[in-house]
Amino acid sequence: MQYREQIEAYFDAHREDMVRDIMDLVSIRSVDGEALPGKPFGEGPAAALAAALDKAREYGFTDVRNVDNYVGTVTMGPQPVQLGILAHLDVVPEGKGWTVCQPYAPIVKDGNIYGRGASDDKGPAVAALYALRCVRELGIPLKQGVRLILGTAEETGSDDIAYYFKKESAPPMVFSPDGDYPVLNTEKGQLRPDLTAAFEESAALPRIRSIEGGLVLNAVPPEARAVVEGLSAAQVRSALDAAATATGAVLEAADTEGGVEILARGKNAHASRPWEGNNAITALIAALVTLPLAECEGIEKLRALARLLPHGETDGSSLGIACADEISGALTISLNIFHYMPTGFRARCDSRVPLCGGEEQLFAILQKRAEGTGLQAELILSEPPHHTPEDTPLVQALLKIYSDYTGLEAKCVSMGGGTYVHDIAGGVAFGCEFPGIDTNMHGPDEFVRIDDLVISGKMFAQAIADLCG
């Protein structure tokens, strides 16, 4: 494979520089914030973008653009641009439970970089930037251009990339280092239904005054809490112990004025892999519906919700929407944000739908099942799946590079998560998560293995040389 020896040597020599630059970006809290003049996603994402583009200029790149603080681009080589690499600099909220470091005070430990965004997606973004730097500094000749596109709102709907592609055409070949190896050519569709209920307030005690849980829709919630009036911590303890045994969650109770506050602690996970977490909201609901509460419409409808979305069930069986296919796997659904008050509740769900599913048909089934229990269903978002055939030149080139550099089996895989290439015909994700490695993405103590980023950078540089040279 041409230029491999030089590429390997370059990344081995620049390993520490790359680690330093990743940690610089991880130090910036680039969570989606209040829109400001010239900063559509707030201060943090704009700051991370500015820092990344400054690094590109420091490396000697001259075609560096900030597109209205939606995305930034670094372009190299003659026109037209043949290859686009799409990465993002925004991150999900940090959440709780960090033990190795604080989320934005990254450290290197045991060969890993820890910090929010280390694996999703700042580490891979810097590896891609170093791939361009490697090709440039080695003087590898290019016949067509390559463009790194750095976004700032992937975690909140990808409005950044939509804005950019209204101004620019997508290159003929596109990959994103924001998924799994070997080559991720299939992304499930998305279905985001809200299940709601409205009811008359009941003053009869004991009653649930409030339930709150969840931070973002694309993450399984690690915590949820409720306030119950008319009961004490001692009176709910046995029910909580039974629910903790049944769900595996930690359930704590503390007396408060006029009642008890109940806290559920589960385990965070990406919404595309809900079985890897332990949903604190559904665990809390499972406990609450066993308490000796006064009968009212509110508790009846909460029990209905518990039947439709029972704790531990992630395939939608109780909603009647379970389905699966060989290429993309099984449907998943999780309840990730929940608000309950004395006059109603809203349960916000995230579902990832396989190629065989059909989002509109599945929502119709879900809606009918919900209405049959007295709940309402609202369709918030529906997106079809994405699939790029395995025999395309881009996929075949990336599979060969992966096999040559890693010695591992090269095959196409699918995932429930969505990347920037979801709406780009022919696009795929290529790295940076290796098979069998869980980087705690979207959870506490997120990390990335430095060795994985170094070899990723080498493969990205080889891809540029092979596809643009």
Side-chain angles (χ1 to χ4, degrees), residues 191-211:
L191 185 66
R192 290 185 172 176
D194 283 9
L195 298 179
T196 66
F199 37 81
E200 292 292 327
E201 180 173 358
S202 171
L205 299 180
R207 69 166 187 167
I208 299 170
R209 188 168 76 200
S210 66
I211 308 172

PDB file of all heavy atoms in Angstrom, residues 191-211:
ATOM      1  N   LEU A 191     -37.471   7.290  15.081  1.00  0.00           N
ATOM      2  CA  LEU A 191     -38.863   7.571  15.400  1.00  0.00           C
ATOM      3  C   LEU A 191     -38.879   8.149  16.803  1.00  0.00           C
ATOM      4  O   LEU A 191     -38.374   7.516  17.740  1.00  0.00           O
ATOM      5  CB  LEU A 191     -39.682   6.282  15.338  1.00  0.00           C
ATOM      6  CG  LEU A 191     -41.198   6.407  15.528  1.00  0.00           C
ATOM      7  CD1 LEU A 191     -41.813   7.187  14.380  1.00  0.00           C
ATOM      8  CD2 LEU A 191     -41.828   5.022  15.611  1.00  0.00           C
ATOM      9  N   ARG A 192     -39.402   9.352  16.945  1.00  0.00           N
ATOM     10  CA  ARG A 192     -39.440   9.992  18.264  1.00  0.00           C
ATOM     11  C   ARG A 192     -40.888  10.322  18.617  1.00  0.00           C
ATOM     12  O   ARG A 192     -41.397  11.380  18.258  1.00  0.00           O
ATOM     13  CB  ARG A 192     -38.564  11.239  18.295  1.00  0.00           C
ATOM     14  CG  ARG A 192     -37.079  10.900  18.231  1.00  0.00           C
ATOM     15  CD  ARG A 192     -36.190  12.100  18.377  1.00  0.00           C
ATOM     16  NE  ARG A 192     -34.797  11.703  18.498  1.00  0.00           N
ATOM     17  CZ  ARG A 192     -33.777  12.549  18.557  1.00  0.00           C
ATOM     18  NH1 ARG A 192     -34.009  13.855  18.491  1.00  0.00           N
ATOM     19  NH2 ARG A 192     -32.545  12.110  18.677  1.00  0.00           N
ATOM     20  N   PRO A 193     -41.549   9.406  19.307  1.00  0.00           N
ATOM     21  CA  PRO A 193     -42.921   9.653  19.749  1.00  0.00           C
ATOM     22  C   PRO A 193     -42.965  10.134  21.194  1.00  0.00           C
ATOM     23  O   PRO A 193     -42.171   9.700  22.032  1.00  0.00           O
ATOM     24  CB  PRO A 193     -43.564   8.268  19.629  1.00  0.00           C
ATOM     25  CG  PRO A 193     -42.434   7.326  19.938  1.00  0.00           C
ATOM     26  CD  PRO A 193     -41.161   8.006  19.514  1.00  0.00           C
ATOM     27  N   ASP A 194     -43.866  11.029  21.481  1.00  0.00           N
ATOM     28  CA  ASP A 194     -44.173  11.415  22.866  1.00  0.00           C
ATOM     29  C   ASP A 194     -45.486  10.762  23.262  1.00  0.00           C
ATOM     30  O   ASP A 194     -46.472  10.814  22.502  1.00  0.00           O
ATOM     31  CB  ASP A 194     -44.324  12.937  22.998  1.00  0.00           C
ATOM     32  CG  ASP A 194     -42.986  13.651  23.008  1.00  0.00           C
ATOM     33  OD1 ASP A 194     -41.957  13.003  22.752  1.00  0.00           O
ATOM     34  OD2 ASP A 194     -42.987  14.872  23.253  1.00  0.00           O
ATOM     35  N   LEU A 195     -45.519  10.144  24.421  1.00  0.00           N
ATOM     36  CA  LEU A 195     -46.756   9.611  24.990  1.00  0.00           C
ATOM     37  C   LEU A 195     -47.208  10.560  26.083  1.00  0.00           C
ATOM     38  O   LEU A 195     -46.435  10.876  27.000  1.00  0.00           O
ATOM     39  CB  LEU A 195     -46.529   8.204  25.555  1.00  0.00           C
ATOM     40  CG  LEU A 195     -46.095   7.146  24.534  1.00  0.00           C
ATOM     41  CD1 LEU A 195     -45.875   5.806  25.218  1.00  0.00           C
ATOM     42  CD2 LEU A 195     -47.114   7.016  23.427  1.00  0.00           C
ATOM     43  N   THR A 196     -48.439  11.047  25.982  1.00  0.00           N
ATOM     44  CA  THR A 196     -48.909  12.077  26.901  1.00  0.00           C
ATOM     45  C   THR A 196     -50.235  11.680  27.527  1.00  0.00           C
ATOM     46  O   THR A 196     -50.981  10.849  26.999  1.00  0.00           O
ATOM     47  CB  THR A 196     -49.075  13.425  26.188  1.00  0.00           C
ATOM     48  OG1 THR A 196     -50.119  13.327  25.220  1.00  0.00           O
ATOM     49  CG2 THR A 196     -47.781  13.839  25.500  1.00  0.00           C
ATOM     50  N   ALA A 197     -50.511  12.328  28.645  1.00  0.00           N
ATOM     51  CA  ALA A 197     -51.801  12.144  29.317  1.00  0.00           C
ATOM     52  C   ALA A 197     -52.173  13.442  30.008  1.00  0.00           C
ATOM     53  O   ALA A 197     -51.309  14.159  30.527  1.00  0.00           O
ATOM     54  CB  ALA A 197     -51.721  11.010  30.340  1.00  0.00           C
ATOM     55  N   ALA A 198     -53.450  13.763  30.006  1.00  0.00           N
ATOM     56  CA  ALA A 198     -53.989  14.902  30.754  1.00  0.00           C
ATOM     57  C   ALA A 198     -55.118  14.388  31.634  1.00  0.00           C
ATOM     58  O   ALA A 198     -55.892  13.516  31.225  1.00  0.00           O
ATOM     59  CB  ALA A 198     -54.493  15.974  29.802  1.00  0.00           C
ATOM     60  N   PHE A 199     -55.194  14.897  32.867  1.00  0.00           N
ATOM     61  CA  PHE A 199     -56.215  14.415  33.799  1.00  0.00           C
ATOM     62  C   PHE A 199     -56.502  15.477  34.849  1.00  0.00           C
ATOM     63  O   PHE A 199     -55.714  16.424  35.038  1.00  0.00           O
ATOM     64  CB  PHE A 199     -55.784  13.103  34.467  1.00  0.00           C
ATOM     65  CG  PHE A 199     -54.312  13.015  34.798  1.00  0.00           C
ATOM     66  CD1 PHE A 199     -53.786  13.605  35.930  1.00  0.00           C
ATOM     67  CD2 PHE A 199     -53.453  12.325  33.950  1.00  0.00           C
ATOM     68  CE1 PHE A 199     -52.436  13.517  36.233  1.00  0.00           C
ATOM     69  CE2 PHE A 199     -52.086  12.233  34.234  1.00  0.00           C
ATOM     70  CZ  PHE A 199     -51.582  12.829  35.385  1.00  0.00           C
ATOM     71  N   GLU A 200     -57.635  15.324  35.507  1.00  0.00           N
ATOM     72  CA  GLU A 200     -58.008  16.232  36.576  1.00  0.00           C
ATOM     73  C   GLU A 200     -57.109  16.005  37.793  1.00  0.00           C
ATOM     74  O   GLU A 200     -56.789  14.869  38.134  1.00  0.00           O
ATOM     75  CB  GLU A 200     -59.461  16.010  36.989  1.00  0.00           C
ATOM     76  CG  GLU A 200     -60.485  16.400  35.930  1.00  0.00           C
ATOM     77  CD  GLU A 200     -60.526  17.902  35.687  1.00  0.00           C
ATOM     78  OE1 GLU A 200     -60.301  18.663  36.668  1.00  0.00           O
ATOM     79  OE2 GLU A 200     -60.771  18.306  34.542  1.00  0.00           O
ATOM     80  N   GLU A 201     -56.719  17.094  38.432  1.00  0.00           N
ATOM     81  CA  GLU A 201     -55.904  16.959  39.635  1.00  0.00           C
ATOM     82  C   GLU A 201     -56.733  16.338  40.755  1.00  0.00           C
ATOM     83  O   GLU A 201     -57.895  16.710  40.971  1.00  0.00           O
ATOM     84  CB  GLU A 201     -55.366  18.318  40.074  1.00  0.00           C
ATOM     85  CG  GLU A 201     -54.497  18.229  41.330  1.00  0.00           C
ATOM     86  CD  GLU A 201     -53.818  19.536  41.665  1.00  0.00           C
ATOM     87  OE1 GLU A 201     -53.978  20.519  40.900  1.00  0.00           O
ATOM     88  OE2 GLU A 201     -53.112  19.585  42.702  1.00  0.00           O
ATOM     89  N   SER A 202     -56.134  15.403  41.462  1.00  0.00           N
ATOM     90  CA  SER A 202     -56.774  14.775  42.621  1.00  0.00           C
ATOM     91  C   SER A 202     -56.018  15.182  43.876  1.00  0.00           C
ATOM     92  O   SER A 202     -54.786  15.090  43.923  1.00  0.00           O
ATOM     93  CB  SER A 202     -56.763  13.255  42.481  1.00  0.00           C
ATOM     94  OG  SER A 202     -57.194  12.641  43.677  1.00  0.00           O
ATOM     95  N   ALA A 203     -56.765  15.625  44.890  1.00  0.00           N
ATOM     96  CA  ALA A 203     -56.145  16.031  46.154  1.00  0.00           C
ATOM     97  C   ALA A 203     -56.035  14.874  47.131  1.00  0.00           C
ATOM     98  O   ALA A 203     -55.447  15.020  48.208  1.00  0.00           O
ATOM     99  CB  ALA A 203     -56.952  17.169  46.783  1.00  0.00           C
ATOM    100  N   ALA A 204     -56.585  13.721  46.777  1.00  0.00           N
ATOM    101  CA  ALA A 204     -56.562  12.571  47.689  1.00  0.00           C
ATOM    102  C   ALA A 204     -55.135  12.106  47.910  1.00  0.00           C
ATOM    103  O   ALA A 204     -54.332  12.012  46.977  1.00  0.00           O
ATOM    104  CB  ALA A 204     -57.410  11.444  47.115  1.00  0.00           C
ATOM    105  N   LEU A 205     -54.803  11.810  49.168  1.00  0.00           N
ATOM    106  CA  LEU A 205     -53.467  11.338  49.546  1.00  0.00           C
ATOM    107  C   LEU A 205     -53.517   9.854  49.892  1.00  0.00           C
ATOM    108  O   LEU A 205     -54.559   9.349  50.328  1.00  0.00           O
ATOM    109  CB  LEU A 205     -52.952  12.136  50.741  1.00  0.00           C
ATOM    110  CG  LEU A 205     -52.786  13.646  50.533  1.00  0.00           C
ATOM    111  CD1 LEU A 205     -52.271  14.286  51.817  1.00  0.00           C
ATOM    112  CD2 LEU A 205     -51.833  13.945  49.378  1.00  0.00           C
ATOM    113  N   PRO A 206     -52.381   9.191  49.710  1.00  0.00           N
ATOM    114  CA  PRO A 206     -51.103   9.629  49.146  1.00  0.00           C
ATOM    115  C   PRO A 206     -51.210   9.829  47.627  1.00  0.00           C
ATOM    116  O   PRO A 206     -51.965   9.136  46.959  1.00  0.00           O
ATOM    117  CB  PRO A 206     -50.157   8.481  49.474  1.00  0.00           C
ATOM    118  CG  PRO A 206     -50.834   7.665  50.515  1.00  0.00           C
ATOM    119  CD  PRO A 206     -52.287   7.796  50.253  1.00  0.00           C
ATOM    120  N   ARG A 207     -50.387  10.756  47.103  1.00  0.00           N
ATOM    121  CA  ARG A 207     -50.392  11.021  45.661  1.00  0.00           C
ATOM    122  C   ARG A 207     -48.996  11.420  45.196  1.00  0.00           C
ATOM    123  O   ARG A 207     -48.153  11.858  45.987  1.00  0.00           O
ATOM    124  CB  ARG A 207     -51.372  12.144  45.330  1.00  0.00           C
ATOM    125  CG  ARG A 207     -50.936  13.517  45.828  1.00  0.00           C
ATOM    126  CD  ARG A 207     -51.758  14.618  45.185  1.00  0.00           C
ATOM    127  NE  ARG A 207     -51.234  15.945  45.530  1.00  0.00           N
ATOM    128  CZ  ARG A 207     -51.589  17.071  44.929  1.00  0.00           C
ATOM    129  NH1 ARG A 207     -52.476  17.031  43.937  1.00  0.00           N
ATOM    130  NH2 ARG A 207     -51.075  18.233  45.289  1.00  0.00           N
ATOM    131  N   ILE A 208     -48.792  11.255  43.901  1.00  0.00           N
ATOM    132  CA  ILE A 208     -47.535  11.699  43.287  1.00  0.00           C
ATOM    133  C   ILE A 208     -47.668  13.172  42.941  1.00  0.00           C
ATOM    134  O   ILE A 208     -48.596  13.568  42.236  1.00  0.00           O
ATOM    135  CB  ILE A 208     -47.225  10.891  42.013  1.00  0.00           C
ATOM    136  CG1 ILE A 208     -47.072   9.406  42.343  1.00  0.00           C
ATOM    137  CG2 ILE A 208     -45.954  11.418  41.344  1.00  0.00           C
ATOM    138  CD1 ILE A 208     -47.008   8.525  41.109  1.00  0.00           C
ATOM    139  N   ARG A 209     -46.757  13.969  43.452  1.00  0.00           N
ATOM    140  CA  ARG A 209     -46.781  15.394  43.134  1.00  0.00           C
ATOM    141  C   ARG A 209     -45.969  15.690  41.869  1.00  0.00           C
ATOM    142  O   ARG A 209     -46.339  16.520  41.042  1.00  0.00           O
ATOM    143  CB  ARG A 209     -46.237  16.225  44.292  1.00  0.00           C
ATOM    144  CG  ARG A 209     -46.431  17.731  44.086  1.00  0.00           C
ATOM    145  CD  ARG A 209     -46.143  18.503  45.363  1.00  0.00           C
ATOM    146  NE  ARG A 209     -44.700  18.610  45.604  1.00  0.00           N
ATOM    147  CZ  ARG A 209     -44.161  18.873  46.785  1.00  0.00           C
ATOM    148  NH1 ARG A 209     -44.948  19.004  47.860  1.00  0.00           N
ATOM    149  NH2 ARG A 209     -42.865  18.974  46.930  1.00  0.00           N
ATOM    150  N   SER A 210     -44.830  15.007  41.711  1.00  0.00           N
ATOM    151  CA  SER A 210     -43.994  15.277  40.531  1.00  0.00           C
ATOM    152  C   SER A 210     -43.069  14.101  40.258  1.00  0.00           C
ATOM    153  O   SER A 210     -42.712  13.354  41.171  1.00  0.00           O
ATOM    154  CB  SER A 210     -43.156  16.544  40.730  1.00  0.00           C
ATOM    155  OG  SER A 210     -42.203  16.359  41.766  1.00  0.00           O
ATOM    156  N   ILE A 211     -42.712  13.955  38.990  1.00  0.00           N
ATOM    157  CA  ILE A 211     -41.657  13.034  38.550  1.00  0.00           C
ATOM    158  C   ILE A 211     -40.849  13.767  37.493  1.00  0.00           C
ATOM    159  O   ILE A 211     -41.408  14.361  36.577  1.00  0.00           O
ATOM    160  CB  ILE A 211     -42.219  11.729  37.934  1.00  0.00           C
ATOM    161  CG1 ILE A 211     -43.232  11.056  38.860  1.00  0.00           C
ATOM    162  CG2 ILE A 211     -41.072  10.763  37.621  1.00  0.00           C
ATOM    163  CD1 ILE A 211     -43.952   9.873  38.208  1.00  0.00           C
TER     164      ILE A 211
END
